[in-house]
Structures are given as structure tokens and as C-alpha cells.
């Protein structure tokens, strides 16, 4: 039986320490006998001016490696002479639509050489500059996965919405991870489906040893896993850490914002990014997982993977009360202000064991396998 082919175009690198939704979909497509080409958002010469940012350096180095292969996954970070970001001239829609037109080597030649110029599925998610692929790739189905309110990011050009509208018009299916993102469905309502993030149940329920760092960081342990970005409420974390000096607050993940003020707090511990393979251990041996996001246009559309992962690891969750998490009706405790958040953390730790089955049941209902059944029904069955 011949392998079907899919291109997954996304901002994330294939070897990112933390897995995002597209990583899980790639694995599930592989299980369905698909050969996968993973295209990351390109590096550019302009990274030279921002090489001090580790993520830019990593992307630049990855682009020099060319196409790499891991079994049936081919992954590549192209190098483009165009750079699309929120600065005058560089924020034009034309640039966003043509970033991949000016790659070295030619993205078209790369896809021809590796047999991905003709594919069954072209899957574009959070890398809207991949629009150019719709001009050069022959595909049976075009899937657009909208995982965030892309225009709400501080570094996003406003023209990204124009590119997104063009992709919606071309797409056969549009999957959105947040109910707020269904606002984009008019006049193409029949294409849209609500498909939030999920969790690999088996991975997070497998028993892990206590992480080495925890031997010097005692309970109660209050854990956050994920990227620390504009959406992270640093003031909220400082407040609850100061009010609970006997609790240890642990941050696992990289940071794209200044966190020097948090590092000065004695009971806040930055462990940095950890590989996805060991993350369950940090959750299983914590006492409560937190999602201290600001409530704004961006976070109101966020479907936090960590919510499902915390629950799958048997961990209670306390979160700020943003729109999407409220729609999920999960066992998480939602707090409307710092005082409520503080009280919720204390109460969640106290009731952790008595509610563990509720957490596990919710995670089971939101597995990646269940999410993929919708993809299978809407996309794969029509090929």
C-alpha cells in the first residue's frame, strides 16, 4: 500500500523540546501510513541583528542543516531572503504571502527532490506565510488549523489577517482550537470545525521518578509548564509567591520576555525548558498546576495544552478566568482576581487526592486520539 503524503507548515521546529498540537497530529498521520514533510517558519538574514535571542540562533542553525529525515518524517527550516514581521515595510501582505518564494535553496526544488511537490494534504497551521505553498504544491486537500488569534500577538503584522482570510477562502477545511476563533467562519461556515488541543494520555499517566531538581525544592510545589510570553501574568505570580512563602513556585519552559524580577523572588524557581519525554515527572510530583495568563484578546482564544496534560498527570489546576478555558467546563478552578487565585491554589492542594479521578476522566475525554477521529472523518475519509 502506497504511503500518502502530507506537508505540515508550522512555526515550531520539529525538534522543539515541548510538543505542540501539530507534533501530535504529525505522529497520528504517521500512524495512518502518511509520509510527512514538516516545514518550519524560515530563518532569514535579519536574524543576524537578533542573534542574541536563542530561538533565532537555533532556527538559523537548523536552516543550515537542510532537509533532515527521521523515519517517515522529513523536516526542514528554510532560509528566506524575505522577513515578515511587525516593522515598516516588512509588515506588508505581499511579503507575508511570498516569504517562501525567495528561499535558498528554492523551496520548490526541495519539495521536488524529496517527493513532496504533489501531496494528499497540505496542512498550514500558525505559519500563515506558508501561503506561497498553495501556489506551487499540488494537493488534494488544504487544511488550515488556526490555533491562536494571530493578529493579537504583539509582533504580528496586521496584514496577517488578510493572508488568513485568503487561506480560509482556499481551504477545504478550517480547524480552530478556540471558540472565539469561530468568528472567522463567515461566509465559509461549512468549512469550520471546533477542534481544541488534547493530550497523550498514556505518556502522562506513565509513572515517573521524582525529578532531580525536586530533591532541593520541597512541597508544596506549584508548577507552571510552558512558554513564558506576553500573556504570562508576572505580577500575579509575584503576588501569590509573596503571600505563600512556604510554597515553591516552579517554572518549566523557555522565556520570550524579561523575567529578571521573578528570578529575584526566593521561592520562584526557573528550571528552563525540559524535553517532552520527561515533563510528566515534573507534573506528577508537583501539588498543583497553574495557568496564570492575563485576560485579553489573545488569551481569550487560547486552548492551553497544559490544562489537559496537568489533568492527565493527576494534577489539580488553577487558572485565570479567560474565555476559552471557561467554555471547556473542566475541573479546573478559575480565579477572577489575585486574591481568588491565591485561595484557589491553597484549596486545590488540600483537595488534590479526593478529585484525582475527575481530572483523569476529563483528560481521557480530550485525548489526541479523539481529536484525530474528527480529522479522519472530515479529511482522510474524503481523499
Amino acid at each position: 500500500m502506497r504511503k500518502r503524503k502530507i506537508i505540515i507548515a508550522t512555526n515550531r521546529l520539529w525538534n522543539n523540546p515541548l510538543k505542540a498540537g501539530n507534533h501530535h497530529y504529525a505522529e497520528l498521520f504517521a500512524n495512518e501510513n502518511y509520509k510527512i514533510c514538516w516545514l518550519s517558519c524560515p530563518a532569514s538574514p535579519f536574524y543576524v541583528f537578533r542573534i542574541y535571542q536563542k530561538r533565532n540562533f537555533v532556527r538559523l542553525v537548523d536552516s543550515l542543516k537542510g532537509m533532515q529525515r527521521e523515519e517517515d518524517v522529513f523536516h526542514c527550516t528554510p532560509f528566506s531572503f524575505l522577513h515578515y514581521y511587525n516593522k515598516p515595510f516588512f509588515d506588508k501582505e505581499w511579503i507575508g504571502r511570498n516569504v517562501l518564494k525567495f528561499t535558498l535553496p528554492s523551496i520548490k526544488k526541495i519539495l521536488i527532490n524529496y517527493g513532496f511537490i504533489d501531496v494528499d494534504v497540505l496542512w498550514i497551521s500558525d505559519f500563515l506565510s506558508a501561503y506561497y505553498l498553495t501556489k506551487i504544491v499540488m494537493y488534494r486537500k488544504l487544511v488550515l488549523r488556526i490555533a491562536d488569534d494571530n493578529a493579537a500577538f504583539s509582533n504580528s503584522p496586521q496584514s496577517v489577517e488578510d493572508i488568513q482570510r485568503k487561506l480560509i477562502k482556499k481551504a477545504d477545511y478550517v480547524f480552530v482550537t478556540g471558540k472565539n476563533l469561530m468568528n472567522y467562519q463567515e461566509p465559509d461556515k461549512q468549512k469550520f470545525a471546533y477542534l481544541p488541543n488534547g493530550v497523550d494520555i498514556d505518556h502522562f499517566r506513565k509513572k515517573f521518578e521524582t525529578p532531580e531538581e525536586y530533591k532541593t525544592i520541597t512541597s508544596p510545589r506549584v508548577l507552571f509548564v510552558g512558554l513564558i510570553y506576553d500573556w504570562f501574568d508576572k505580577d500575579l505570580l509575584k503576588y501569590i509567591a509573596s503571600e505563600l512563602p512556604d510554597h515553591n513556585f516552579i517554572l518549566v519552559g523557555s522565556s520570550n520576555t524579561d523575567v529578571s524580577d521573578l528570578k529575584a523572588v526566593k521561592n520562584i524557581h526557573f528550571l528552563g525548558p525540559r524535553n517532552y519525554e520527561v515533563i510528566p515527572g515534573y507534573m506528577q510530583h508537583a501539588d498543583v498546576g497553574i495557568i496564570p495568563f492575563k485576560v485579553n484578546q489573545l488569551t481569550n482564544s487560547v486552548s492551553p495544552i497544559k490544562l489537559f496534560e496537568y489533568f492527565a498527570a493527576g494534577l489539580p489546576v488553577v487558572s485565570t478566568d479567560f474565555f476559552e478555558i471557561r467554555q471547556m467546563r473542566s475541573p479546573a478552578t478559575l480565579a477572577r482576581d489575585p486574591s481568588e487565585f491565591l485561595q484557589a491554589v491553597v484549596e486545590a492542594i488540600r483537595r488534590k487526592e479526593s478529585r484525582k479521578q475527575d481530572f483523569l476522566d476529563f483528560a481521557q475525554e480530550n485525548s489526541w486520539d479523539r481529536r484525530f477521529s474528527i480529522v479522519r472523518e472530515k479529511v482522510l475519509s474524503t481523499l
Side-chain angles (χ1 to χ4, degrees):
M1 180 180 178
R2 86 165 180 93
K3 284 187 176 292
R4 293 188 182 272
K5 296 178 183 177
I6 180 172
I7 294 174
I8 297 179
T10 170
N11 275 339
R12 299 281 185 135
L13 298 175
W14 174 251
N15 291 318
N16 195 300
L18 290 178
K19 279 189 178 182
N22 291 313
H23 289 98
H24 294 283
Y25 284 121
E27 290 176 354
L28 289 161
F29 272 111
N31 292 341
E32 296 282 331
N33 205 38
Y34 272 74
K35 195 174 176 180
I36 295 149
C37 176
W38 179 282
L39 286 182
S40 300
C41 184
S44 84
F46 296 93
Y47 279 8
V48 171
F49 302 108
R50 296 186 294 155
I51 204 70
Y52 60 88
Q53 293 179 334
K54 184 179 177 181
R55 67 184 185 279
N56 292 333
F57 177 76
V58 170
R59 195 173 290 276
L60 197 56
V61 169
D62 202 64
S63 72
L64 299 175
K65 296 177 182 176
M67 185 71 83
Q68 301 167 73
R69 180 177 183 177
E70 297 178 22
E71 296 182 353
D72 282 324
V73 177
F74 295 75
H75 56 98
C76 171
T77 301
F79 183 89
S80 175
F81 289 102
L82 281 184
H83 190 42
Y84 182 53
Y85 69 120
N86 194 20
K87 294 291 182 183
F89 176 75
F90 297 100
D91 61 354
K92 305 303 180 190
E93 182 196 343
W94 181 89
I95 291 181
R97 286 190 287 107
N98 289 282
V99 163
L100 290 179
K101 188 175 183 178
F102 296 95
T103 61
L104 182 70
S106 158
I107 191 66
K108 186 173 183 178
K109 286 184 179 178
I110 291 173
L111 295 177
I112 290 172
N113 289 342
Y114 286 89
F116 285 98
I117 200 67
D118 185 348
V119 298
D120 297 281
V121 181
L122 174 56
W123 177 288
I124 296 177
S125 176
D126 65 46
F127 172 21
L128 301 185
S129 301
Y131 178 90
Y132 180 69
L133 294 176
T134 67
K135 300 288 190 180
I136 61 169
V137 174
M138 291 175 282
Y139 53 84
R140 318 271 111 52
K141 299 293 179 183
L142 173 59
V143 175
L144 176 62
R145 178 175 180 261
I146 305 177
D148 290 292
D149 187 341
N150 291 296
F153 285 97
S154 58
N155 61 348
S156 286
Q158 288 305 301
S159 60
V160 76
E161 286 201 298
D162 298 322
I163 300 174
Q164 184 168 277
R165 277 193 290 270
K166 286 181 168 64
L167 282 169
I168 290 172
K169 190 172 182 180
K170 281 182 170 246
D172 295 290
Y173 305 99
V174 181
F175 296 126
V176 298
T177 60
K179 289 192 175 178
N180 261 352
L181 300 172
M182 293 294 281
N183 294 334
Y184 292 115
Q185 66 183 320
E186 299 296 347
D188 300 290
K189 187 177 294 187
Q190 74 285 354
K191 298 179 179 182
F192 276 69
Y194 174 58
L195 194 64
N197 283 316
V199 63
D200 180 345
I201 299 292
D202 293 339
H203 183 55
F204 283 87
R205 292 187 70 173
K206 186 171 59 178
K207 296 301 180 185
F208 283 75
E209 296 294 323
T210 303
E212 191 66 29
E213 300 96 324
Y214 279 13
K215 293 177 181 178
T216 56
I217 304 174
T218 56
S219 284
R221 301 184 185 108
V222 182
L223 177 69
F224 173 81
V225 176
L227 177 66
I228 302 169
Y229 191 63
D230 291 350
W231 54 61
F232 190 93
D233 194 335
K234 293 186 291 181
D235 291 335
L236 173 60
L237 182 61
K238 280 193 293 185
Y239 167 75
I240 57 175
S242 65
E243 292 294 314
L244 297 172
D246 57 334
H247 291 53
N248 281 302
F249 294 79
I250 302 164
L251 305 180
V252 174
S254 55
S255 172
N256 283 355
T257 188
D258 181 20
V259 292
S260 54
D261 53 341
L262 294 181
K263 289 183 176 179
V265 181
K266 186 178 180 180
N267 58 332
I268 297 179
H269 308 270
F270 280 85
L271 303 188
R274 291 292 182 271
N275 194 285
Y276 177 79
E277 297 306 316
V278 300
I279 287 294
Y282 290 87
M283 294 184 177
Q284 291 171 8
H285 296 280
D287 296 288
V288 60
I290 58 171
I291 306 176
F293 287 175
K294 298 174 183 175
V295 179
N296 56 32
Q297 180 184 344
L298 178 59
T299 58
N300 276 331
S301 300
V302 166
S303 172
I305 289 181
K306 60 187 66 63
L307 173 77
F308 307 110
E309 293 176 345
Y310 287 151
F311 282 143
L315 200 59
V317 179
V318 176
S319 172
T320 48
D321 188 11
F322 54 92
F323 179 82
E324 180 60 24
I325 204 165
R326 196 184 320 131
Q327 303 307 303
M328 292 178 181
R329 303 188 183 281
S330 77
T333 303
L334 306 184
R336 291 168 293 182
D337 58 48
S339 178
E340 280 191 8
F341 203 103
L342 173 69
Q343 294 170 16
V345 165
V346 174
E347 183 66 12
I349 294 172
R350 187 180 69 83
R351 298 183 60 200
K352 175 183 176 182
E353 292 304 320
S354 65
R355 299 196 63 201
K356 186 170 283 190
Q357 192 57 50
D358 294 336
F359 308 151
L360 299 176
D361 290 345
F362 181 81
Q364 191 70 51
E365 292 167 6
N366 291 277
S367 68
W368 285 116
D369 287 335
R370 290 205 177 191
R371 300 289 187 253
F372 195 71
S373 67
I374 297 173
V375 177
R376 188 183 293 112
E377 173 194 342
K378 292 187 173 294
V379 182
L380 308 195
S381 66
T382 64
L383 288 169

